[in-house]
Amino acid sequence: MTGRFGIGQPVTRFEDPRLLRGEGRFIHDLQLERQAHLVFVRSPHAHARIVSIDTAAARAAPGVVGVFTVEDLERDGLGTTAPSIKRNRPDGSPMFWRAHPGLAKGKVRHVGDPVAIVVAETLAQAKDAAEPVAVEYEDLPVTAPVWDECPDNVSNVFEVGNKAATEAAFARAARVVKGRYAVSRVHAQFMEPRGALGSWDAGDGRYTLHCDVQYPHRVREVLAGVLKVPEHRVRVVSGDVGGAFGAKGWAHLEHRLVLWLARKLGRPVKWTCERSEAPLADEHARDVATEIELALDADHRFLGLRVRNRHVLGAYVSSDRNLLPSFSNLGSLVGMYAIPAAHVQVTGVFTHTSPLAPYRGNGRPEAIYFLERLIDDAARELGVDRVELRRKNLIPAAAMPYKTALTFSYDCGDFEKGLDKALALADWPGFPERRKESEARGKLRGIGISNAIERAAAPGMEYAEVRFDAGGSATLVVGSKSQGQGHETMYRQVAGERLGLAPEDLRVVEGDTDAVAYGVGSYGSRTAAIGGSALWLAADKIIAKGRRIAAHLLEAAEADVAFADGRFAIAGTDRGVTIKEVARASFAFAKLPKGLEPGLFEHATFSPVQETFPNGTHVCELEVDPDTGVVSLVKYTVVDDVGNEINPLTLHGQVIGGIVQGLGQILMEQMAYDPETGQLLTASFMDYAMPRAGDLCNMEVGHNPVPTKLNPLGVKGAGEAGTVGALAAAMNAIVDAIGTKEIEMPTTSEKVWRALRKHRKI
């Protein structure tokens, strides 16, 4: 498409005006007639036996509709979820797991574990009534097993790679470098905390859930199972979502509870998660430690990688969702490098903490962090340049496609070109002079690098439909679900490019299982690559049918009619009709070729044969004040290969947003528990710090596109790219500045100050 709105154009987001005017459709904006409000009574203990629950005072409180415990759920036969992934324990026995029953049964196993529900006419009345719910607890030690049936707290062990080949590689290595690193626990701090509003239509025999989720159809599938009804009896509607990135994924326990109560009470029931409740109610992320080893030959080429991860699962494993962070992206551990042999062992362990779930990158940032820190350590131990050590071991572009030693097969990429572009943009050669200038001011300057690659757009179907109306405009119905990434703009650009329609002629519909036939949803940087490709294929079907109609209108042979820029024309002539004219004609039965169905609406699905692999090089430069330990970012540079770029403007925002999330985890973010009591120490913004504009620096985003052939658009995905490389680049820069690797995230000023004094004996 020519003009300002096609693929590759920096189009401002069409969503923004209504969102900036306060006209969004968020879950907390929605109110239904006669809705009641739900409040949870949550455990103040990390581990305790529930001796008794006295709800009499709460039931007698003004406005109370009902008070419920786990016995009520069991009495009504409300189901629970379960993981489908098969794993074993170290002795070969099946994986140990326990799903959350909806409300705690017998024991509470982490601070915030829901114990009872109070439902009242108003939110204030529900809060007031929750106060007198008297729960008697018998406090238990947090060092005790989370589950009595699993005394060692080991849920499962998972291995990937070739262990024998890896051991052989280490046996012949000239040098072996080892590292022990940890990625701390964090929490997805949404603009809008989670919520759910359930209703029951007795006349239609259907449940409706309004919620803020990333994949409504999968939520519907899960809810139909726990409610024990056919899927068509459940409707899931997700409007605007105030941020997610994995943490608003599959069906949460609150979803089934509001639907169960809506039917039981005969009225809609709403749960609104408040900001102070979110750290207790939500799943957390990351929380993994590693022992990692790299084998090198005498020429410093990588021979093998050996990894042992200890991944915290939290107190419950309710579904595959709680297991995915521990294993789904272990292939990223070999990064961009030619490592002939690798083996990884992951031990998933229970702790008296909130369960874990996917969060922006879902294992990719952790993997790249471990590898890139180890490579920096290897360069220091070997006394070689860290950039050249990386360059020597990069997979060359000529080797593509390349099968790695850890499950992944890279289809394309030019890693060295991206590295060189990033080094040039960052002015890496000029760093020594900048370091001297900092030293003259009494500051310590450091620079860090990381090469990041991630699996994106993993195989899985996505759905799209193009539905023209009789006036010639079209509705785009898509199975993905935006959480703020600009899907409406992206889909309009794809459809505009293929069909030649202006943005005002297009409407995008997503997030409603009654309006959209099917959708897997949005996660893992898949929407543009898979959802956009499905839309492209649906548009192809529109063009094919439109060509038949146009040929009939023009009294020409179909083979002589070409389509471009929104117009069907007879080749070699100026005779033609626009696609809008064809659409209008498609509803006029008399104007159609004999035997052709009226109307112009087509759908398509797309599932790639394999995942794509966005990649890039990150360079972080910063200063440290040795007197205070304060880390100040100076400059951040990234050069990414995300394939073809649909909208460079929104891509820029996605990359920078991802980088900020990664920097936040390195510099300040952490969900910290007291090791003796299991109390959450960072449950509010007074304790859980997040980066603000003043904590950041200029960020320069460069491009190294190598289009993939795995989808019609040639796109690889970009939603998580920034985060994947940011953790390692920032930490490597801090280590470079302070001169010691004995520091872990978050690198608060106190930690940096203590590390400096220990290292320099100040």
Side-chain angles (χ1 to χ4, degrees), residues 214-298:
Q214 299 172 229
Y215 11 88
H217 288 84
R218 296 173 75 179
V219 171
R220 179 183 68 175
E221 178 185 1
V222 172
L223 290 174
V226 298
L227 295 168
K228 302 178 175 62
V229 297
E231 279 192 50
H232 69 268
R233 296 291 185 188
V234 180
R235 179 189 181 193
V236 176
V237 184
S238 182
D240 288 319
V241 177
F245 283 110
K248 293 181 179 177
W250 294 343
H252 296 271
L253 63 88
E254 297 89 358
H255 297 159
R256 62 182 184 266
L257 292 176
V258 296
L259 293 180
W260 166 67
L261 287 167
R263 182 170 184 176
K264 189 177 186 69
L265 300 174
R267 60 192 299 181
V269 175
K270 185 174 187 178
W271 171 66
T272 300
C273 185
E274 296 190 346
R275 183 69 66 183
S276 59
E277 183 185 15
L280 305 175
D282 295 343
E283 295 157 319
H284 299 166
R286 313 292 192 219
D287 207 348
V288 55
T290 191
E291 295 179 358
I292 182 170
E293 302 173 84
L294 181 65
L296 304 94
D297 67 14

Side-chain angles (χ1 to χ4, degrees), residues 420-496:
D420 288 337
K421 279 191 171 185
L423 294 174
L425 279 177
D427 186 20
W428 186 278
F431 174 75
E433 286 300 316
R434 296 193 295 276
R435 172 172 268 173
K436 289 179 183 178
E437 187 273 332
S438 294
E439 289 173 350
R441 292 185 286 106
K443 307 293 185 183
L444 305 174
R445 199 175 189 104
I447 193 168
I449 188 171
S450 71
N451 286 326
I453 190 166
E454 59 159 330
R455 176 177 70 162
M461 186 185 86
E462 201 47 84
Y463 172 90
E465 179 181 356
V466 180
R467 188 186 302 164
F468 274 89
D469 55 47
S473 58
T475 298
L476 312 177
V477 183
V478 293
S480 61
K481 181 69 199 80
S482 174
Q483 308 113 53
Q485 301 100 321
H487 288 185
E488 183 179 337
T489 302
M490 181 273 291
Y491 281 124
R492 284 183 174 185
Q493 288 184 259
V494 171

Side-chain angles (χ1 to χ4, degrees), residues 564-594:
D565 296 329
R567 188 171 184 268
F568 295 94
I570 301 174
T573 76
D574 60 358
R575 294 182 59 217
V577 289
T578 67
I579 193 168
K580 296 180 74 172
E581 291 173 316
V582 167
R584 287 193 287 267
S586 73
F587 290 90
F589 184 81
K591 295 183 179 181
L592 296 180
K594 187 176 181 180

Side-chain angles (χ1 to χ4, degrees), residues 1 26 52 135 158 167 197 320 390 413 420 513 527 699 707:
M1 177 183 181
F26 296 93
S52 64
V135 185
F158 176 71
E167 295 300 325
L197 174 55
D320 294 348
R390 287 174 167 86
D420 288 337
T513 59
T527 301
M699 297 185 189

Side-chain angles (χ1 to χ4, degrees), residues 584-606:
R584 287 193 287 267
S586 73
F587 290 90
F589 184 81
K591 295 183 179 181
L592 296 180
K594 187 176 181 180
L596 186 66
E597 291 183 352
L600 192 58
F601 14 78
E602 298 286 348
H603 70 271
T605 61
F606 178 75

